[in-house]
Amino acid sequence: KMMDMQKCKMLPSTFTILIKYYAKSGLLDDAIRGLEQMKRSGVRPNVQTYNNLIEAFVKEKNKIHLVLGMVDQMKSEGILPNEYTVNFLVEGLCNSGQFDKAMELVRESSANAIVYNVLLKGLCKAGKIEEAYGIIEEMASKGHNPDEYTYNTLVVGACKIGKVDFALGLRTEMIAKNIPPSLITYGTLIMFLC
């Protein structure tokens, strides 16, 4: 488990690496213990430390309440969430079906194109294609032009729920906006048309 802290002085980066290892390995209890040990040792966690934990907990089912608690905890310690934190939060909220909260978070934060794409992907996975398509206009109004990834996410999502005509319309829109459809675009359309 955690190293004997009395035998060696640990740096914040050392703790963060250990916590990341535990979190990525699915050893979430050990990762939390690592964070607690870090604090007991007088070493201040940073946003990356928390992001490692948040990312791992987002991947677990029914853990969004823990993720939200971690974000509150980091804020109370004076550690501000960054764009990665927001990405993980949006993903977690979408995975737990809390789309309104995810959209609210995106609108409250200085969301970048990646955050919008995370929201869009979550909506598509839930079959909410019309809502996902509405995100394109919002993205553009905030200065984040939809790209090939954005459109391919919509094309795949639309095809998966049987809206192939809608997906074909997206391909036409891509061409009109000078976004070349890719092998993913055409491969998805061919697969669902045959």
Side-chain angles (χ1 to χ4, degrees):
K1 301 291 177 176
M2 294 300 285
M3 298 172 77
D4 183 356
M5 298 305 146
Q6 294 165 346
K7 290 184 181 176
C8 65
K9 173 88 170 122
M10 300 262 296
L11 300 171
S13 59
T14 309
F15 273 108
T16 299
I17 289 167
L18 286 170
I19 290 167
K20 181 178 182 174
Y21 165 77
Y22 286 134
K24 295 250 183 210
S25 299
L27 303 168
L28 300 181
D29 291 337
D30 289 330
I32 293 294
R33 279 194 286 278
L35 178 65
E36 292 165 355
Q37 182 65 44
M38 182 179 196
K39 291 177 184 179
R40 278 194 306 275
S41 299
V43 180
R44 187 173 189 265
N46 57 34
V47 69
Q48 186 178 356
T49 309
Y50 276 103
N51 282 346
N52 289 326
L53 287 166
I54 290 167
E55 180 183 16
F57 275 90
V58 159
K59 305 223 180 299
E60 296 290 314
K61 297 275 189 225
N62 304 316
K63 300 283 186 186
I64 191 64
H65 64 286
L66 296 173
V67 170
L68 294 171
M70 276 185 240
V71 172
D72 288 341
Q73 181 180 349
M74 68 188 271
K75 286 179 181 176
S76 75
E77 295 172 9
I79 302 167
L80 296 176
N82 64 14
E83 63 210 30
Y84 296 104
T85 316
V86 175
N87 285 347
F88 299 139
L89 279 172
V90 170
E91 181 182 352
L93 289 166
C94 287
N95 289 347
S96 66
Q98 298 181 46
F99 300 104
D100 290 340
K101 283 187 180 180
M103 284 192 253
E104 182 181 326
L105 177 63
V106 168
R107 290 180 180 128
E108 287 175 357
S109 69
S110 54
N112 58 27
I114 296 168
V115 174
Y116 276 104
N117 282 326
V118 169
L119 174 60
L120 192 130
K121 184 177 180 181
L123 289 166
C124 286
K125 280 173 65 175
K128 297 177 177 283
I129 296 301
E130 288 79 15
E131 287 180 54
Y133 184 71
I135 298 297
I136 287 180
E137 289 179 26
E138 187 173 327
M139 283 178 74
S141 74
K142 303 280 183 166
H144 306 295
N145 292 323
D147 58 12
E148 176 191 326
Y149 179 85
T150 306
Y151 276 99
N152 282 339
T153 301
L154 283 166
V155 167
V156 170
C159 286
K160 283 185 175 181
I161 62 168
K163 294 192 172 196
V164 179
D165 288 338
F166 184 79
L168 287 167
L170 290 168
R171 182 199 59 90
T172 302
E173 188 175 317
M174 288 174 76
I175 294 167
K177 291 184 176 183
N178 292 320
I179 302 170
S182 67
L183 289 174
I184 293 171
T185 314
Y186 286 115
T188 301
L189 289 169
I190 291 168
M191 184 171 63
F192 282 94
L193 283 168
C194 295

